Amino acid sequence: MGECSMLSSYNPKKENHCIICGDPQVDRCHIISRGSGGSDDEWNIFFACRFHHSEQHQIGIFSFAEKYGIFKNLLKERGFKNKPFGRGIYMPGGRYE
C-alpha cells in the first residue's frame, strides 16, 4: 500500500498497526511525549511497532519524520511544524513545545 493511501485511512482511534511497517503488534505513541507536556488527545497519538517506537525516541521526532515520509505527512496533516531556529515543534491550536 502506498504512503498516501495508508495515511489517508490512518485513524489512531480505529487503527492498531504500525504507521511505518504495518506490524499489528504496536505501542501507543505520543508525538509530543507526556514528559514534555504532550497530551493523550488524538492529534498527539500514533501507533508504532516496538522497533519503530524505540527508533523514534533514539533519533528524535524530526529525524524520524525525515526518514519516514508517511510520518512526516501525518505531522503535516495534523498541523505540526518545525520551530524556526529552535528545538521543538509548533503544536496545533497555537500551542507549542
Side-chain angles (χ1 to χ4, degrees), residues 21-81:
C21 69
D23 188 330
Q25 294 187 347
V26 293
D27 295 336
R28 187 171 183 261
C29 309
H30 295 84
I31 296 170
I32 304 297
S33 70
R34 294 191 62 180
S36 295
S39 71
D40 288 327
D41 294 332
E42 182 180 337
W43 58 264
N44 195 41
I45 300 296
F46 70 99
F47 291 105
C49 65
R50 182 59 48 101
F51 174 82
H52 287 114
H53 188 192
S54 295
E55 181 182 28
Q56 179 233 341
H57 285 285
Q58 290 171 353
I59 67 175
I61 196 78
F62 296 116
S63 295
F64 192 75
E66 288 302 316
K67 184 174 181 179
Y68 299 107
I70 189 167
F71 187 72
K72 186 175 186 176
N73 291 341
L74 177 71
L75 293 180
K76 286 180 182 179
E77 187 176 273
R78 293 187 182 175
F80 286 89
K81 297 178 184 174

Side-chain angles (χ1 to χ4, degrees), residues 9-17 26 47:
S9 65
Y10 185 80
N11 180 338
K13 285 187 174 179
K14 297 179 182 177
E15 302 297 338
N16 58 354
H17 64 268
V26 293
F47 291 105

Side-chain angles (χ1 to χ4, degrees), residues 32 36 61-62 75 79-92 94-97:
I32 304 297
S36 295
I61 196 78
F62 296 116
L75 293 180
F80 286 89
K81 297 178 184 174
N82 287 353
K83 277 187 182 176
F85 314 113
R87 296 178 55 118
I89 57 180
Y90 283 88
M91 295 168 54
R95 300 174 303 235
Y96 62 90
E97 208 34 59

